[in-house]
Amino acid sequence: MTRAAGRHFLQIPGPTNVPDRVLRAIDFPTMDHRGPDFGSLGKEVLTGMKRVFKTASHVVIYPASGTGAWEAALANTLSPGDQVLMYETGHFAALWQKMATRLGLQPEFIAGDWRSGADPQAIETRLRDDQAHRIKAVCVVHNETATGVVSRIAEVRRAIDAAKHPALFLVDTISSLGSIDYRHDEWGVDVTVGGSQKGLMLPPGLSFNAISTQALAASKTAKMPRSFWDWGEMIASNKDGYFPYTPATNLLYGLREALKMLLEEEGLENVFARHQRHAEATRRAVRAWGLEVLAKNPAEYSSSLTAVLMPAGHDADRVRKLILENFDMSLGTGLGKLAGKVFRIGHLGDFNDLTLMGTLSGCEMGLELAGAPIKREGVQAALQYLAECRRSPVRAAA
Ligand code: PLP
């Protein structure tokens, strides 16, 4: 194997690049998770995560990938055979739906075009039809990582309320938490699902549920079998900062450091503005190449990733392969029915203007090498936008 000089560009939409200081925080002797010092670490990260979710209610942390927190959200709130209303935003929504079926629930999937977010009107109409209130939960993916499309969660909440329906509202924020504005309490979400490996700038291995009072009440009567995922024991131990089983201690050291960076040093609102700026610069590059952004509606553009549609007859995976071989950069592949049709540029996590320009340069060179019919103007368009943002910071927040 030949050595690749310089740092690998990990520009998939998560896992993202882990900052050196977070890696250093993790690289510390593991402590006794039942000893006297652990409780203060536990309390600190649980309090910090409430600020990230924007909730005054409970947050639990699992030593698991995001899929685990998906299962926890369903298993704690529902009973076998319950109907759930899910929305087909893309590959990850489809995986959550598959999980619901496997767990013995009855998911109903509102069909989507994989280029748009969940339609609040369609959800309202379906819930109004459900006079008997058989639907027990509405599940939506906030940021569909397969498509780069954001669903309007506050509007979905209003749709549920307008239908006067008691269903719980479950939202996946795995690729938006810490990158795109999200408000668990204000938006009336009952369970929010999160993961460590994207906006939180940590390695994979932690996942989260933020839990409303209504969701907690539902968990007392919900009959899905659960043990590892059970909120009851977790919340009881968390009161003093401890866990009912062995937590991922070193990842919690990393989480403490990442929370310091996001909440104290940069500030969440600045983090969101930075992601917006990089997403807009990326979309300008895509258009200047003469290519199309997969997301259809500007109000639903994702700030954490951009899916780029390749022209017919040009394989997106061939472009990704050439970019990896020539420039040592990983980009996201097309998932599910988008395989070969799109590549995804991750611009989330520990990411700045120059990381973006390196990323877009790699894309432009790779597209050219692949013989894609592009104009060599994308990098220039992004540079120009980033420079304008520096001259007039109001633009950056626009
Ligand atoms: N939901 C979304 C939106 C995701 O992007 C992912 C993973 O990328 C998952 C769920 C599954 O999470 P994990 O792969 O961490 O289990």
Side-chain angles (χ1 to χ4, degrees), residues 15-82:
T16 62
N17 296 288
V18 180
D20 290 349
R21 53 186 276 203
V22 172
L23 288 173
R24 282 197 292 271
I26 291 170
D27 182 13
F28 208 76
T30 302
M31 65 160 87
D32 174 5
H33 61 287
R34 305 201 195 277
D37 295 336
F38 187 87
S40 58
L41 167 67
K43 279 191 193 159
E44 197 179 334
V45 292
L46 286 163
T47 305
M49 284 311 298
K50 287 185 190 191
R51 289 175 62 192
V52 174
F53 281 108
K54 298 190 179 169
T55 182
S57 192
H58 296 286
V59 170
V60 299
I61 305 177
Y62 294 109
S65 84
T67 302
W70 261 351
E71 181 160 340
L74 300 175
N76 278 285
T77 54
L78 298 165
S79 298
D82 275 354

Side-chain angles (χ1 to χ4, degrees), residues 53-340:
F53 281 108
K54 298 190 179 169
T55 182
S57 192
H58 296 286
V59 170
V60 299
I61 305 177
Y62 294 109
S65 84
T67 302
W70 261 351
E71 181 160 340
L74 300 175
N76 278 285
T77 54
L78 298 165
S79 298
D82 275 354
Q83 284 187 25
V84 290
L85 186 63
M86 303 180 111
Y87 201 102
E88 186 198 8
T89 47
H91 184 69
F92 288 99
L95 287 180
W96 203 9
Q97 184 242 9
K98 188 161 110 186
M99 171 187 276
T101 306
R102 283 179 176 167
L103 291 175
L105 299 166
Q106 290 188 48
E108 183 179 324
F109 215 21
I110 301 183
D113 64 359
W114 289 45
R115 298 190 71 172
S116 315
D119 174 7
Q121 190 56 53
I123 291 173
E124 183 177 334
T125 304
R126 180 62 192 94
L127 292 179
R128 278 188 194 280
D129 279 352
D130 179 36
Q131 299 279 336
H133 295 168
R134 288 212 173 80
I135 294 170
K136 300 299 177 201
V138 174
C139 302
V140 174
V141 175
H142 180 217
N143 185 66
E144 176 53 76
T145 323
T147 62
V149 175
V150 166
S151 285
R152 289 158 287 151
I153 299 303
E155 289 181 40
V156 176
R157 173 78 259 171
R158 282 198 284 278
I160 299 171
D161 291 346
K164 297 192 173 47
H165 200 289
L168 293 171
F169 188 21
L170 277 45
V171 178
D172 168 343
T173 62
I174 287 176
S175 59
S176 53
L177 195 71
S179 306
I180 300 172
D181 188 20
Y182 185 78
R183 309 170 190 194
H184 176 88
D185 284 1
E186 189 184 319
W187 294 348
V189 178
D190 290 299
V191 189
T192 302
V193 173
S196 58
Q197 74 271 30
K198 307 202 187 228
L200 296 180
M201 311 181 294
L202 291 165
L206 294 180
S207 57
F208 312 89
N209 278 175
I211 306 160
S212 75
T213 313
Q214 289 88 333
L216 194 59
S219 74
K220 311 281 186 216
T221 52
K223 295 197 171 48
M224 298 270 289
R226 57 185 186 269
S227 172
F228 182 82
W229 306 118
D230 189 63
W231 290 339
E233 285 181 8
M234 189 65 117
I235 288 172
S237 304
N238 283 174
K239 197 158 53 61
D240 301 313
Y242 290 86
F243 288 70
Y245 41 73
T246 313
T249 311
N250 290 55
L251 286 177
L252 298 180
Y253 298 158
L255 178 58
R256 175 165 57 187
E257 191 68 14
L259 288 170
K260 209 184 294 169
M261 294 163 78
L262 293 171
L263 298 171
E264 312 301 338
E265 297 173 16
E266 188 171 0
L268 271 188
E269 304 314 311
N270 295 326
V271 171
F272 301 150
R274 168 166 61 78
H275 282 77
Q276 273 176 23
R277 182 171 81 245
H278 293 147
E280 175 59 26
T282 304
R283 290 189 293 268
R284 287 181 186 222
V286 173
R287 292 193 195 105
W289 288 326
L291 299 179
E292 201 182 338
V293 170
L294 182 69
K296 265 191 190 162
N297 174 1
E300 297 176 335
Y301 284 155
S302 168
S303 292
S304 55
L305 77 133
T306 301
V308 183
L309 259 177
M310 287 298 291
H314 292 267
D315 181 5
D317 281 337
R318 184 161 165 268
V319 176
R320 287 178 49 253
K321 186 166 180 284
L322 283 169
I323 290 173
L324 180 61
E325 286 169 0
N326 288 280
F327 309 115
D328 197 23
M329 176 164 72
S330 296
L331 294 169
T333 187
L335 294 168
K337 66 182 184 190
L338 293 171

